[in-house]
Amino acid sequence: MSEKHRVRFEPVGIEIDVAEEQTILRAAAEQGVMLMHGCKEGQCAACKSFILDGDDVEHDKYSTFALPDYEKEEGFTLLCRAHAYEDLTIELLNYDEEMIHSGLPIQEATVEVVSNDHVTHDLRHLVVKLTDPEQSLKFFPGQYMDFAIPGTEESRSFSMANTSARDGLLEFVIKIYSDGLFSTFLDTRVAVGDQLRITGPFGVFTLRDNPSADLVFVGGGAGMAPILSLLRTMAERGIERKATYYYGARRRRDLCFDAELRELQEKLPDFRYVPALSEPGDDDWDGETGLITDVLRRAGLDLKGADAYVCGPPPMVEAALELLPALGVADKRVFYDKFTTTGESDA
């Protein structure tokens, strides 16, 4: 076993032990400390922090868009790629005191494919079940799991669409890319009865306890999954916060779970579902049109005091992160999952 080092996080005063072969983020997760993070691939910068004391740190491969060379020289680090080779003190630049002590144990599990169905021409609804009936896998709605890709050292991350695994089932909505490593595997080889390895849960895209705040959800593509999980949770728990879900698609054929979302409007009296098509063409469509952020802008809402949840392709997320504060949402109340590429086209 490799040597372990003590890592202290300020300003929260939490200390953990980190083995040299582990990233700091992974070690924290395994010890129940939920640090802010997103892709775990060194691309999104959600876990960017600053090293206050100590300098013997090495990084796995990462994007210089997330951590430019000049920031690294100044002492910034990406916790998802950083390995400690001495004791460190790290300043967390982005943290949530409500979440930091609520981490769930990271588990590995084998799952069996129950179904692998198209919900649009390029989105799959993958349902799997735990093969060990004695195993329980806890997660917070909005979190994600890592899937190991057989025959490789690679893994890909996908958010759950269901609310819990109490029945042993997990649901995912996954976009198919023609050159994606996992996408090609899922599209051409994965069949009912096949077994896969998963690890998790990860992610902090979870519903915060803020009952007086309205909710605004903005999504697109496979960003449907975690938001659907949050909405299903609200229906199950009878959470009656005023909520609106703006979902963007190109054509009518790109809409999914449309019937369920419209049914949720009946179950949740203060919930409204607003789909929009950016390229309606000759579709028989009388709903909103344009980019989903343009639709949100045109609505003319005053979102002061609201909580916003954004998940989908990076351009949509970037546009929403710019727009929402202009509509009144406090920066710290905008929660987002931005899909990132991993060398190919999987997100």
Side-chain angles (χ1 to χ4, degrees), residues 10-28:
E10 297 291 2
V12 294
I14 295 172
E15 295 186 355
I16 63 171
D17 291 318
V18 182
E20 292 178 353
E21 76 271 10
Q22 290 180 304
T23 66
I24 296 173
L25 179 68
R26 179 58 183 256

Side-chain angles (χ1 to χ4, degrees), residues 66-331:
L67 182 64
D69 290 341
Y70 73 89
E71 286 191 349
K72 183 181 178 184
E73 292 174 2
E74 291 172 358
F76 290 91
T77 183
L78 298 176
L79 299 181
C80 71
R81 311 306 281 171
H83 296 259
Y85 287 88
E86 66 175 334
D87 292 350
L88 303 172
T89 300
I90 292 175
E91 180 184 7
L92 300 176
L93 305 179
N94 183 22
Y95 65 95
D96 187 329
E97 291 195 60
E98 180 183 336
M99 299 293 299
I100 200 165
H101 291 290
S102 63
L104 294 171
I106 303 301
Q107 299 182 62
E108 294 185 0
T110 300
V111 295
E112 179 180 315
V113 176
V114 174
S115 61
N116 178 17
D117 300 323
H118 286 280
V119 286
T120 71
H121 71 288
D122 63 354
L123 289 179
R124 289 290 183 90
H125 182 210
L126 176 67
V127 181
V128 300
K129 67 177 180 181
L130 297 170
T131 58
D132 182 354
E134 301 299 319
Q135 184 174 15
S136 63
L137 199 159
K138 294 182 179 180
F139 65 89
F140 295 122
Q143 290 192 295
Y144 65 85
M145 305 294 295
D146 284 351
F147 277 79
I149 304 175
T152 78
E153 297 296 320
E154 299 287 332
S155 65
R156 295 294 185 267
S157 305
F158 301 102
S159 299
M160 280 74 74
N162 54 311
T163 60
S164 76
R166 59 177 174 268
D167 52 5
L169 295 177
L170 296 168
E171 295 181 51
F172 303 87
V173 180
I174 300 173
K175 184 174 177 64
I176 300 299
Y177 294 92
S178 60
D179 59 349
L181 185 58
F182 188 88
S183 297
T184 301
F185 171 67
L186 181 66
D187 192 36
T188 62
R189 292 174 52 194
V190 175
V192 172
D194 287 351
Q195 293 191 352
L196 302 169
R197 293 291 296 171
I198 61 172
T199 305
F202 300 102
V204 292
F205 192 74
T206 58
L207 194 64
R208 288 359 186 236
D209 184 18
N210 193 13
S212 64
D214 292 347
L215 290 162
V216 178
F217 300 99
V218 185
M224 171 66 71
I227 294 178
L228 187 59
S229 178
L230 297 181
L231 291 170
R232 287 170 166 176
T233 297
M234 291 176 63
E236 285 184 5
R237 298 179 182 175
I239 298 173
E240 297 185 354
R241 293 166 65 178
K242 183 178 180 181
T244 308
Y245 181 17
Y246 292 88
Y247 182 78
R250 289 184 179 178
R251 302 290 298 271
R252 192 174 196 130
R253 69 172 187 166
D254 297 312
L255 294 175
C256 59
F257 298 93
D258 197 66
E260 179 179 351
L261 287 162
R262 296 189 186 281
E263 289 175 4
L264 281 172
Q265 291 184 125
E266 304 302 319
K267 296 178 181 178
L268 295 167
D270 285 326
F271 170 62
R272 190 164 65 101
Y273 168 53
V274 183
L277 304 184
S278 61
E279 301 173 10
D282 56 1
D283 289 344
D284 180 18
W285 179 254
D286 60 1
E288 295 284 353
T289 59
L291 297 176
I292 197 62
T293 45
D294 292 338
V295 173
L296 178 57
R297 183 183 290 107
R298 289 199 304 265
L301 302 176
D302 179 2
L303 299 180
K304 185 176 181 180
D307 284 356
Y309 291 79
V310 184
C311 187
M316 186 215 76
V317 173
E318 293 292 350
L321 294 181
E322 182 177 344
L323 173 62
L324 287 163
L327 297 179
V329 184
D331 287 340

Side-chain angles (χ1 to χ4, degrees), residues 17-73:
D17 291 318
V18 182
E20 292 178 353
E21 76 271 10
Q22 290 180 304
T23 66
I24 296 173
L25 179 68
R26 179 58 183 256
E30 290 183 356
Q31 293 169 64
V33 178
M34 188 180 290
L35 303 179
M36 297 298 284
H37 64 279
C39 67
K40 305 196 316 299
E41 296 286 340
Q43 298 190 57
C44 73
C47 65
K48 184 183 291 185
S49 301
F50 187 79
I51 301 172
L52 294 171
D53 186 46
D55 56 16
D56 196 356
V57 178
E58 293 187 7
H59 292 81
D60 295 332
K61 184 179 179 181
Y62 62 89
S63 168
T64 53
F65 288 102
L67 182 64
D69 290 341
Y70 73 89
E71 286 191 349
K72 183 181 178 184
E73 292 174 2

